[in-house]
Amino acid sequence: MVYRFAVKPYRLPLRSPLRTAHGVWSVREGLIIRLEAETGAVSYGEVAPLPQFGTETLAESLERCLGFSDKTDDAAMDAVPTRFGCVRFALAMARSPLPTVDKAKRLAVTALLPAGKAALEVLAGKLEQGFLSFKWKVGVNRPEEELGVLDDLLGRLPDYCRLRLDANGAWDRRAAEKWLARCAERPIEFIEQPAATDDVDTLLGLAEDYPVMLALDESVVGLAAAREWQERGWRGVFVIKPALAGPLDELAAWAKTSKADIVLSSAIETALGREAILRFALAQDLTKRALGFGVGEMFGDRLWDGPIIGPLLDAGYCDAVEGDPLWNALN
Ligand code: MG
């Protein structure tokens, strides 16, 4: 099929800067692509790179997209190399018909808590909203301080709730051991990326030595990396940010054949990319774990955030998002 191809960049300040072990993140930049088929049908895709996670940069993805002519065909789009996971996600999203979702289908969502003590206050509000699963960013402040907050958080967590920790690769082996020892036998669902992506021995060793479930995130940005970790014998969780991992149907095929224990997680994409991912999550049975999409109103603008995501997601979110207004809001 031949399409008219167009692309526009977006630049959205985050309502509250996000503090992680990667530093402070205050602006989300990405691209929206628009395809118009010969039939006149218009569809959109989102490129939301996270170069700090090892994806292509915004400049690289823009250069790729500007390389498509006004009339672009499937062969040209299929020729994008695998390392452009974000561009490939967007192209596939725009070219795939949206799956239909059973209206009765519901999936649990994990609420993101901010780094540091601020987590305690946010936890109270999220519990009130009915969230059962929470994720807290660690490796941001001094460990003694964070371990104190961990005790407070767990003290306030009802028995039926679970907490995920995300170290974003910040710990060395010693620091990780201290945390893992502290987390044993506590209601920790898993600890995400407890050591750096390239520290394979530490990650495998920690998984072997401690009873706490571990998860890889930055280590498995693309499916090729996830497959490598499976070959190394990784038995923990794989946190997959679909917006970074290439076409959604490739992700589904890998998850189904490998039976990997996965969590689908947000890359802080806009409502447009999020709609495609959540529709896919609702239509496929890929995971029993709560979706990592309880990120709140990141942009403080309903057009870009989409509807507020509560403790249970259903197709209502997806039905409320439309591409044209987002595209038209961009220059
Ligand atoms: Mg993570």
Side-chain angles (χ1 to χ4, degrees):
M1 192 141 36
V2 177
Y3 302 89
R4 286 186 59 190
F5 182 95
V7 57
K8 288 180 182 177
Y10 66 78
R11 188 171 196 282
L12 302 167
L14 302 189
R15 198 171 57 117
S16 328
L18 195 63
R19 286 200 310 146
T20 75
H22 293 296
V24 179
W25 189 22
S26 53
V27 178
R28 204 326 158 212
E29 292 184 285
L31 309 172
I32 304 293
I33 63 164
R34 180 184 185 273
L35 298 185
E36 187 177 330
E38 286 162 312
T39 58
V42 169
S43 56
Y44 298 98
E46 178 173 350
V47 183
L50 284 183
Q52 64 271 43
F53 273 61
T55 72
E56 68 263 45
T57 63
L58 181 70
E60 287 169 331
S61 54
L62 182 60
E63 192 186 0
R64 260 287 144 189
C65 289
L66 291 175
F68 292 123
S69 65
D70 181 43
K71 296 255 184 290
T72 293
D73 60 12
D74 288 307
M77 291 191 254
D78 290 341
V80 174
T82 313
R83 78 169 191 89
F84 288 85
C86 305
V87 173
R88 293 178 71 240
F89 166 82
L91 293 171
M93 170 184 160
R95 286 189 291 161
S96 316
L98 296 172
T100 45
V101 176
D102 177 356
K103 297 271 179 218
K105 185 79 183 281
R106 281 176 173 69
L107 293 175
V109 175
T110 296
L112 181 63
L113 305 177
K117 278 199 189 85
L120 293 164
E121 201 180 314
V122 176
L123 174 71
K126 298 288 177 189
L127 280 169
E128 219 160 273
Q129 289 171 35
F131 281 94
L132 302 176
S133 167
F134 302 90
K135 170 163 148 176
W136 183 45
K137 292 282 185 184
V138 292
V140 178
N141 299 312
R142 288 181 308 116
E144 310 82 69
E145 195 184 313
E146 288 185 335
L147 284 163
V149 179
L150 175 71
D151 290 339
D152 291 343
L153 275 172
L154 292 177
R156 296 178 194 193
L157 201 69
D159 290 345
Y160 49 84
C161 294
R162 287 289 173 275
L163 182 65
R164 302 173 176 177
L165 303 182
D166 189 357
N168 286 109
W171 297 330
D172 58 19
R173 173 116 196 186
R174 250 182 89 174
E177 284 178 340
K178 193 168 172 187
W179 277 86
L180 265 62
R182 188 82 162 253
C183 289
E185 325 252 310
R186 305 185 83 181
I188 302 293
E189 184 186 355
F190 55 75
I191 301 180
E192 215 168 298
Q193 204 67 46
T197 50
D198 53 1
D199 200 349
V200 175
D201 292 343
T202 295
L203 288 163
L204 289 171
L206 292 170
E208 185 78 12
D209 294 347
Y210 290 86
V212 183
M213 179 66 92
L214 299 182
L216 298 174
D217 182 0
E218 283 89 335
S219 288
V220 292
V221 170
L223 299 183
R227 287 192 190 96
E228 265 175 53
W229 277 94
Q230 284 179 314
E231 279 162 28
R232 287 181 187 130
W234 182 257
R235 296 196 191 286
V237 174
F238 294 85
V239 177
I240 304 291
K241 292 178 164 53
L244 314 184
L248 287 170
D249 57 0
E250 288 183 14
L251 167 56
W254 166 71
K256 280 181 179 160
T257 51
S258 70
K259 299 198 169 51
D261 183 354
I262 69 172
V263 171
L264 298 175
S265 181
S266 171
I268 317 297
E269 56 288 299
T270 75
L272 194 63
R274 197 170 298 174
E275 183 216 343
I277 296 165
L278 295 177
R279 203 176 273 285
F280 161 83
L282 286 160
Q284 304 266 354
D285 257 327
L286 299 183
T287 172
K288 295 280 176 274
R289 295 187 187 269
L291 299 169
F293 278 83
V295 293
E297 291 172 87
M298 277 291 168
F299 311 117
D301 178 340
R302 204 47 62 77
L303 178 68
W304 297 99
D305 282 314
I308 295 169
I309 296 180
L312 284 175
L313 176 88
D314 63 26
Y317 180 93
C318 306
D319 295 342
V321 177
E322 280 183 86
D324 294 343
L326 277 86
W327 178 259
N328 293 332
L330 295 172
N331 294 319

